[in-house]
């Protein structure tokens, strides 16, 4: 039996499980693992500037491609606690990432050793498993189990904590004899699907709500086939955006309090049956449940049995992987089609598209400073269907989801439930690492951008190009808008007069200089006519210099973005709506007044 250190065995297992790159920060307690990483070869490494940044890079890497599992590595103590936000973000959005931390020697774990912390206990609530390995011989089994857990059922993150003496201990391990554990995913049966389709057949105005579980299952093509067979319009959730192209005749638009379309909410409110697949009925999608559920029959399919009934009780709940369920849905629908018994949904689908052509928000404004809507209009012109958008939270993300277009799975990469500021830059670096030849475009407000701005240096060092659209109003815009309910505007202003850049007025931080100081490229835009040329130039600069390129758009200080406080039938449209086709020139459907 070959002998090697436990750290080397861990690295060999990573390779056997398909890991090709890791993101991390070395340190004393994890250096044996790094030594094994270097000696073994075969796994690239991206050096982050902050360990939280490494965890978000791992998230972005996982989210970009089916089958990817991002790995982040850090030393002990604060490195582990820095990763907690990434773990929380990953478990909330069902994203498998593996965090590996160093630890003090086993004999010193409870003696307040330098940078020794019980990271397994801290990480437990935000992981599928968090383990401090006390015996070196257990390392292979713990790593084997980690990949099994990350891939099985509802995907999610795992943390493995390795004391330094455990890493250094030699063990018997033969990589040639290693075998991955079989992945477990619940699968629907024929009877369940037939009952679900029977409920759909009895309805008059059905909808499919497709969540991130469809993307996790790599089942977007099955989803589209089922929708096309039955003629049922599809509402993607924010995490499921891209399962059906935005320009598809059965795309009914997004629904919700914030990241929604006017026509999407109206079509949902007109429906009488909802088939939810791989979604979790998030509160910003549903709003108040009385309005959301009234007069509708619900079928819910989810890979996690405890999700069924968690928010409200469906009329039929099915515990199943989305892909396994959709295979049966397609099978049953084909049989009904061949028998000529599928209901004709043409009129209902056409009504959804009629709303789409009529109920639109205005994007074309010529104001200076810029209105944010114009930024997204020009982004639609500059960035095509191949673009992968990356964003986290804020008015920038909400308006982007309302106005941008997404055509493919994994092309809207959004931190959905956790929404930590600072997520966007490192996540975009992870996405661009996973898709080095793709068009990656990040979207941030100024506060999100400033939270982890140091990670831009990672893109410069490792030559990771992407375009970052920074919409700057020098405000905590979403919090300011929420404070309207309290009649305050308190501690949300970011403006100041920069003594080194008086030309900025009150916009404060000179992002162009900071970005350039970190080794990247930046363009500032102050007028609408400059947006499209800036985006085109950014694409060229990213390709030429192979670094992140930031396009900063100087916005008007205050814009209230469309949203509701409680119910999806009461969305407040603060801005002038589109009434003529030229008001929304990049809309998917030309506006019909």
């Amino acid at each position: 039996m070959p002998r090697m250190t436990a750290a080397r065995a861990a690295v060999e297992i990573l390779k056997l499980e398909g890991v090709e790159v890791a993101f991390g920060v070395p340190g004393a307690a994890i250096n044996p693992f790094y030594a094994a990483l270097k000696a073994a070869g075969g796994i690239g490494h991206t050096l982050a500037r902050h360990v939280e940044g490494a965890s978000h890079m791992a998230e972005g890497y996982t989210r970009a491609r089916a089958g990817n599992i991002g790995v982040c590595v850090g030393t002990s103590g604060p490195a582990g606690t820095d990763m907690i936000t990434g773990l929380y973000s990953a478990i909330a959005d069902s994203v498998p990432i593996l965090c590996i931390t160093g630890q003090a020697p086993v004999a010193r774990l409870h003696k307040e050793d330098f940078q020794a912390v019980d990271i397994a206990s801290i990480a437990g609530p935000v992981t599928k498993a968090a383990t401090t390995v006390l015996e070196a011989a257990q390392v292979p089994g713990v790593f084997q189990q980690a990949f099994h857990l990350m891939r099985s059922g509802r995907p999610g993150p795992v943390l493995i904590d390795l004391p330094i003496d455990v890493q250094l201990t030699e063990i018997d391990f033969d990589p040639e004899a290693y075998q991955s554990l079989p992945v477990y995913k619940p699968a629907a049966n024929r009877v369940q699907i037939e009952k679900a389709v029977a409920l759909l057949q009895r309805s008059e105005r059905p909808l499919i709500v497709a969540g991130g579980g469809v993307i996790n299952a790599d089942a977007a093509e099955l989803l589209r086939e089922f929708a096309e067979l039955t003629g049922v319009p599809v509402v993607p959730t924010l995490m499921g955006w891209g399962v059906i192209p935005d320009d598809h005749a059965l795309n009914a638009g997004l629904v919700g309090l914030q990241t929604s379309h006017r026509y999407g909410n109206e079509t949902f409110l007109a429906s009488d049956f909802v088939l939810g697949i791989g979604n979790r009925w998030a509160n910003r999608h549903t709003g108040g449940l009385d309005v959301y559920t009234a007069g509708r029959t619900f079928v819910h399919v989810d890979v996690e049995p405890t999700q069924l009934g968690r928010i409200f009780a469906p009329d039929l709940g099915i515990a199943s992987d989305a892909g396994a369920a959709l295979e049966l849905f397609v099978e049953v629908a084909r049989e009904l089609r061949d028998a000529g018994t599928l209901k004709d949904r043409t009129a209902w689908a056409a009504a959804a598209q009629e709303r789409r052509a009529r109920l639109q928000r205005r994007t074309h404004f010529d104001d200076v400073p810029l209105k944010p809507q114009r930024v997204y209009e020009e982004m639609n012109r500059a960035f095509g269907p191949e673009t992968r958008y990356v964003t986290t939270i804020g008015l920038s993300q909400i308006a982007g989801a309302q106005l941008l277009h997404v055509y493919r799975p994994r092309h809207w990469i959004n931190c959905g439930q956790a929404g930590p500021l600072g997520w966007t830059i490192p996540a975009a670096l992870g996405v661009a690492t996973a898709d080095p030849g793709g068009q990656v475009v990040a979207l941030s407000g100024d506060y999100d951008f400033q939270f982890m701005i140091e990670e831009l240096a990672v893109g410069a060092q490792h030559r990771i190009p992407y375009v970052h659209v920074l919409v700057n109003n020098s405000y905590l815009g979403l919090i300011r808008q929420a404070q309207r309910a309290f009649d305050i505007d308190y501690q949300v202003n970011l403006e100041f007069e920069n003594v080194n850049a008086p030309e900025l007025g009150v916009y404060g931080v000179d992002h162009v200089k900071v970005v350039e100081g970190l080794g990247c490229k930046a363009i500032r835009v102050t007028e609408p006519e400059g947006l499209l040329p800036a985006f085109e130039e950014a694409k060229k600069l990213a390709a030429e210099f192979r670094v992140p390129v930031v396009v900063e758009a100087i916005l008007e200080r205050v814009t209230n973005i469309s949203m509701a406080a409680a119910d999806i039938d009461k969305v407040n449209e603060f801005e002038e709506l589109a009434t003529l086709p030229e008001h929304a020139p990049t809309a998917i459907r030309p506006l019909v007044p």
Side-chain angles (χ1 to χ4, degrees):
M1 180 74 72
R3 286 187 65 79
M4 62 187 70
T5 66
R8 179 62 180 264
V11 172
E12 294 297 335
I13 291 171
L14 293 182
K15 292 196 293 183
L16 290 165
E17 293 285 359
V19 173
E20 296 179 351
V21 64
F23 307 88
V25 178
I30 196 64
N31 273 339
F33 178 87
Y34 271 90
L37 199 64
K38 180 180 179 182
I43 297 178
H45 184 271
T46 298
L47 177 62
R49 293 301 191 269
H50 192 295
V51 191
E52 181 186 341
S55 69
H56 298 325
M57 290 175 202
E59 284 187 80
Y61 184 83
T62 295
R63 294 175 192 241
R65 288 196 183 279
N68 277 5
I69 290 186
V71 174
C72 53
V73 186
T75 189
S76 57
T81 57
D82 283 344
M83 291 181 184
I84 295 299
T85 301
L87 291 168
Y88 163 43
S89 171
I91 199 164
D93 289 346
S94 306
V95 175
I97 66 171
L98 177 61
C99 289
I100 302 170
T101 55
Q103 181 58 275
V106 171
R108 300 181 194 167
L109 285 182
H110 304 291
K111 298 186 178 181
E112 299 186 4
D113 206 50
F114 178 68
Q115 292 191 339
V117 68
D118 187 357
I119 192 64
S121 294
I122 295 170
V126 290
T127 56
K128 293 188 76 173
T131 305
T132 297
V133 185
L134 302 180
E135 298 291 342
Q138 289 187 307
V139 166
V142 170
F143 273 79
Q144 184 185 41
Q145 176 77 348
F147 282 93
H148 168 74
L149 289 172
M150 285 187 287
R151 293 171 174 142
S152 292
R154 181 181 179 181
V158 168
L159 179 139
I160 300 176
D161 187 41
L162 298 173
I164 188 169
D165 52 336
V166 168
Q167 296 174 58
L168 289 166
T169 300
E170 284 200 347
I171 61 172
D172 294 319
F173 177 70
D174 186 353
E176 292 183 0
Y178 180 83
Q179 183 175 340
S180 301
L181 293 175
V183 173
Y184 166 74
K185 292 186 184 296
N189 61 47
R190 173 81 185 206
V191 172
Q192 292 171 318
I193 299 305
E194 288 176 345
K195 288 182 179 293
V197 173
L199 290 172
L200 183 151
Q201 285 279 79
R202 287 202 289 269
S203 69
E204 298 298 326
R205 300 175 303 282
L207 289 174
I208 298 168
V209 172
V214 176
I215 292 177
N216 280 348
D218 204 23
E221 289 186 11
L222 286 169
L223 184 281
R224 288 196 296 274
E225 184 177 359
F226 178 65
E228 289 167 355
L229 282 166
T230 58
V232 176
V234 177
V235 170
T237 68
L238 188 65
M239 301 304 294
W241 198 8
V243 293
I244 188 167
D246 268 9
D247 59 357
H248 195 286
L250 290 174
N251 188 312
L254 300 178
V255 169
L257 299 177
Q258 297 178 342
T259 54
S260 62
H261 300 118
R262 295 178 67 209
Y263 49 85
N265 280 356
E266 288 296 320
T267 293
F268 185 88
L269 290 167
S271 69
D272 65 356
F273 172 88
V274 178
L275 168 59
I277 304 179
N279 65 305
R280 59 181 177 86
W281 309 119
N283 65 305
R284 293 191 179 188
H285 166 81
T286 66
L289 294 178
D290 289 348
V291 171
Y292 190 84
T293 61
R296 293 173 195 90
T297 298
F298 286 85
V299 173
H300 190 196
V301 179
D302 197 271
V303 72
E304 172 53 55
T306 62
Q307 284 292 111
L308 304 175
R310 174 171 288 186
I311 309 302
F312 60 85
D315 296 271
L316 175 62
I318 301 173
S320 177
D321 169 72
L326 281 164
E327 286 178 358
L328 286 175
F329 273 116
V330 167
E331 180 182 295
V332 171
R334 284 175 179 166
E335 293 173 4
L336 293 175
R337 176 203 60 190
D338 294 344
T341 56
L342 274 177
K343 268 193 176 180
D344 184 357
R345 308 291 184 182
T346 306
W348 167 236
Q353 294 307 309
E354 182 276 331
R355 294 184 190 92
R356 191 168 204 177
R358 178 170 49 86
L359 300 171
Q360 297 186 18
R361 295 185 173 111
R362 181 168 182 168
T363 60
H364 196 79
F365 295 93
D366 293 325
D367 302 56
V368 178
L370 298 162
K371 292 189 79 65
Q373 293 88 345
R374 182 63 182 270
V375 178
Y376 306 116
E377 176 184 308
E378 301 300 338
M379 289 174 69
N380 284 332
R381 288 194 175 98
F383 305 117
E386 74 285 353
T387 303
R388 294 183 190 267
Y389 288 111
V390 184
T391 187
T392 180
I393 197 172
L395 289 186
S396 56
Q397 174 252 8
I398 293 168
Q402 292 176 4
L403 301 173
L404 294 173
H405 306 315
V406 175
Y407 299 88
R408 300 172 187 172
R410 300 181 188 273
H411 280 56
W412 175 263
I413 296 176
N414 194 154
C415 180
Q417 199 235 66
L421 288 165
W423 186 88
T424 306
I425 291 175
L429 292 167
V431 172
T433 299
D435 186 14
Q439 175 71 72
V440 177
V441 177
L443 172 62
S444 288
D446 46 296
Y447 208 42
D448 169 52
F449 188 73
Q450 291 173 19
F451 257 55
M452 300 199 78
I453 195 170
E454 77 283 344
E455 300 305 319
L456 286 174
V458 176
Q461 178 183 356
H462 293 276
R463 293 292 184 259
I464 308 172
Y466 76 94
V467 174
H468 202 126
V469 179
L470 164 61
V471 287
N472 180 9
N473 64 354
S474 197
Y475 237 126
L476 306 188
L478 179 57
I479 307 305
R480 176 206 56 75
Q481 188 166 333
Q483 286 188 353
R484 294 171 69 253
F486 299 91
D487 196 27
I488 59 173
D489 186 357
Y490 183 63
Q491 291 297 308
V492 291
N493 306 312
L494 297 173
E495 78 269 14
F496 65 93
E497 294 184 2
N498 188 330
V499 296
N500 299 305
E503 70 275 11
L504 292 176
V506 299
Y507 283 81
V509 175
D510 189 336
H511 293 110
V512 170
K513 287 181 182 176
V514 175
V515 169
E516 290 176 345
L518 290 166
C520 302
K521 292 287 187 179
I523 305 168
R524 181 177 292 124
V525 182
T526 58
E527 297 185 355
E529 295 75 17
L531 286 165
L532 185 57
F535 294 145
E536 296 297 341
E537 178 67 12
K539 289 190 284 187
K540 293 177 184 177
L541 290 171
E544 178 182 357
F545 292 99
R546 308 298 296 172
V547 297
V549 180
V550 177
V551 178
E552 179 186 34
I554 302 298
L555 303 187
E556 62 185 7
R557 298 298 313 287
V558 172
T559 308
N560 291 316
I561 299 299
S562 304
M563 68 179 70
D567 296 318
I568 61 172
D569 63 344
K570 295 182 177 64
V571 173
N572 195 338
E573 301 290 345
F574 296 95
E575 296 288 332
E576 179 184 350
L577 295 172
T579 56
L580 299 170
E582 55 264 33
H583 290 165
T586 60
I588 292 289
R589 299 275 179 268
L591 186 137
V592 177

